[in-house]
């Protein structure tokens, strides 16, 4: 049974309440705004030029169709990573490890996991509460947000493998440098 | 058939991973399926309208206009627009890829597009509120400040290594791709 909403993730996992913070509501509002705006623009476009509008919709459809295999892989990846990497597991991986090794472990876990951004930061707070250090959490959140091994096939398809691999490597460098800065400040 | 297999190879790998996980732990496998379903719904709330914007941008905005605002000679305005596009966004980074590709196609500078992707990863406004609440103002300020500088410089660096042609070899809007 798949019910909608992250609230059922709360039932699926015994976690320390981070998912309650995630407001599915915000996502719905953003979705409604995006769909309304798209509908409005399409309406304006149809009035001005039918043919061009049809071409635009066709292009949108083709992008979706062309990237669908990669998108479906990402969806499954998110499902797998959230099912396996529960807050408790992440806490065990990162919270216990300190020092440089902890920063590296956090970067690697962050690179593999794909967690919705509204969850990433509350999860970071939870990790701090659980005893993780700020540099490790810094590497973890920066890595989660900017490195995407799950979306690497899609990024490679759109921009070419060389760009995608390099951008992710530099994103890893960013996560490590950011952790170093946080280490110096906190 | 062979094309289909090649197209869906990553999806097949993920399905295999799901099968292994389910064999090891049926409960975790069921969780993964349920969460995948939720994620699909999330994706469908954001991606289709974004793709409509990308399609409309392609047919309505002439290259000259994009070059004026985000291309060579756009100066600070190009940086500001790249920042705003990334900052008002919502959702995971992969949603930004089709937008970025269309910006490049229309003549935006690669430095602006890489910066846009960077802003998307460090300075999304809706997400900043969560970062502030969970990790504090100092942490957030360093993350955003350092990130903006890093990804702006990275954009300058990438612009020297990549050009439009090598980046957009594959046309995502093409019919038989």
């Amino acid at each position: 049974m798949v019910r909608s909403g992250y609230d059922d993730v709360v039932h699926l996992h015994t976690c320390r309440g981070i998912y309650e913070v995630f407001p599915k509501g915000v996502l719905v509002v953003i979705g409604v705004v995006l769909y309304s705006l798209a509908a409005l623009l399409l309406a304006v476009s149809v009035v001005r030029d039918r043919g061009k509008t049809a071409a635009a919709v066709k292009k949108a459809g083709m992008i979706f169709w062309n990237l669908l295999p990669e998108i479906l892989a990402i969806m499954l990846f998110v499902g797998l990573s959230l099912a396996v990497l529960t807050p408790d597991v992440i806490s065990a991986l990162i919270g216990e490890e300190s020092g440089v090794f902890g920063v590296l472990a956090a970067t690697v876990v962050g690179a593999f996991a794909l967690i919705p951004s509204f969850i990433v930061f509350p999860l970071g707070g939870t990790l701090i509460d659980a005893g993780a250090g700020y540099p490790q959490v810094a590497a973890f959140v920066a890595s989660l947000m900017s490195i995407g091994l799950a979306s690497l096939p899609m990024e490679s398809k759109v921009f070419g493998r060389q760009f995608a691999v390099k951008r992710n490597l530099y994103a890893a460098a960013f996560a490590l440098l950011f952790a170093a800065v946080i280490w110096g400040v906190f | 058939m062979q094309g289909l297999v090649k197209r869906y190879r990553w999806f097949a790998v993920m399905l295999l991973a799901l099968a292994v996980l389910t064999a090891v732990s049926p409960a975790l496998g069921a969780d993964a399926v349920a969460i995948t379903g939720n994620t699909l719904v999330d994706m469908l709330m954001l991606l289709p309208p974004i793709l409509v914007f990308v399609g409309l941008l392609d047919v309505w905005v002439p290259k000259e206009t994009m070059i004026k605002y985000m291309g060579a000679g756009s100066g600070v305005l190009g940086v500001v627009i790249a920042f705003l596009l990334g900052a008002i966004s919502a959702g995971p980074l992969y949603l930004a890829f089709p937008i970025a590709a269309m910006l490049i196609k229309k003549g935006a500078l690669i430095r602006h597009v890489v910066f846009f992707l960077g802003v998307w990863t460090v300075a999304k406004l809706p997400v900043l509120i969560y970062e502030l609440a969970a990790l504090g103002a100092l942490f957030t300020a360093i993350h955003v400040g350092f990130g903006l500088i890093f990804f702006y410089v990275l954009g300058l660096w990438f612009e020297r290594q990549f050009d439009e042609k090598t980046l957009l070899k594959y046309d995502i809007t093409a019919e038989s791709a």
Side-chain angles (χ1 to χ4, degrees):
Chain A
M1 276 288 285
V2 180
R3 290 150 297 171
S4 67
Y6 262 87
D7 37 318
D8 71 83
V9 178
V10 181
H11 298 295
L12 292 171
H13 300 299
T14 48
C15 65
R16 286 180 290 274
I18 59 156
Y19 293 108
E20 285 104 329
V21 187
F22 178 70
K24 193 73 164 185
V26 169
L27 198 64
V28 174
V29 171
I30 294 171
V32 168
V33 170
L34 284 177
Y35 270 91
S36 309
L37 199 59
L40 184 72
L41 289 174
L42 277 177
V44 174
S45 179
V46 164
V47 171
R48 290 186 59 179
D49 191 325
R50 242 168 203 279
K52 270 191 168 183
T53 310
V57 171
K58 195 173 177 197
K59 276 172 194 284
M62 282 321 298
I63 300 175
F64 190 76
W65 176 248
N66 287 333
L67 298 179
L68 188 62
E70 285 76 18
I71 292 169
L72 287 177
I74 291 172
M75 300 295 104
L76 262 180
F77 197 109
V78 173
L80 287 165
S81 69
L82 279 181
V84 176
L85 295 172
T86 59
D88 289 330
V89 172
I90 292 173
S91 199
L93 284 171
I94 293 164
E96 301 286 311
E97 297 293 348
S98 56
V100 176
F101 187 77
V103 169
L104 291 176
T107 307
V108 171
V109 174
F112 273 98
L114 208 165
I115 299 177
S117 43
F118 289 101
I119 297 179
V120 167
F121 294 103
L123 179 58
T126 310
L127 289 172
I128 298 273
D129 293 342
Y134 275 95
Q136 288 76 26
V137 170
F140 182 59
V141 296
S143 168
L144 270 175
M145 296 297 288
S146 55
I147 311 176
L149 289 183
S151 54
L152 193 61
M154 179 171 170
E155 195 171 356
S156 300
K157 196 171 189 177
V158 176
F159 302 111
R161 186 179 301 250
Q162 211 197 357
F163 177 92
V165 169
K166 271 197 177 170
R167 196 203 60 78
N168 279 279
L169 284 176
Y170 279 103
F174 169 68
L176 294 173
L177 284 171
F178 172 51
V181 173
I182 289 294
W183 202 320
V185 174
F186 278 79
Chain B
M1 186 61 201
Q2 212 177 3
L4 197 71
V5 171
K6 192 167 181 261
R7 254 166 70 80
Y8 282 88
R9 64 191 184 284
W10 291 111
F11 183 60
V13 169
M14 292 302 149
L15 276 181
L16 192 67
L18 178 65
V20 171
L21 181 70
T22 309
V24 174
S25 161
L28 281 182
D31 283 7
V33 171
I35 298 167
T36 301
N38 281 333
T39 310
L40 263 172
V41 174
D42 291 357
M43 183 273 291
L44 288 174
M45 275 202 273
L46 304 173
L47 186 61
I50 287 178
L51 293 183
V52 168
F53 298 146
V54 171
L56 287 171
L57 184 73
D58 199 10
V59 300
W60 281 112
V61 178
K63 227 178 159 175
E64 301 77 51
T65 311
M66 181 62 79
I67 289 171
K68 189 175 146 200
Y69 288 104
M70 290 187 84
S74 61
V76 181
L77 183 65
V79 182
V80 171
I81 293 175
F83 174 80
L84 290 177
L85 277 179
I88 59 165
S89 64
L93 181 62
Y94 66 83
L95 295 179
F97 296 150
I99 303 174
M102 185 54 63
L103 293 177
I104 295 174
K105 185 182 170 188
K106 286 288 169 178
L109 284 176
I110 289 168
R111 75 175 80 158
H112 292 151
V113 176
V114 171
F115 183 59
F116 157 72
L117 290 174
V119 174
W120 190 297
T121 67
V122 297
K124 275 181 294 187
L125 288 177
V127 174
L128 278 186
I129 300 160
Y130 289 84
E131 186 168 4
L132 278 169
L135 297 166
L138 182 61
F139 185 98
T140 308
I142 295 171
H143 185 203
V144 174
F146 184 53
L148 291 180
I149 296 167
F150 184 93
F151 287 108
Y152 184 73
V153 174
L154 188 69
L156 296 177
W157 175 237
F158 270 34
E159 196 166 274
R160 297 172 63 151
Q161 300 181 58
F162 297 98
D163 58 47
E164 187 202 321
K165 280 198 195 82
T166 46
L167 287 184
L168 299 184
K169 247 181 223 155
Y170 173 79
D171 180 6
I172 52 170
T173 63
E175 201 147 331
S176 58

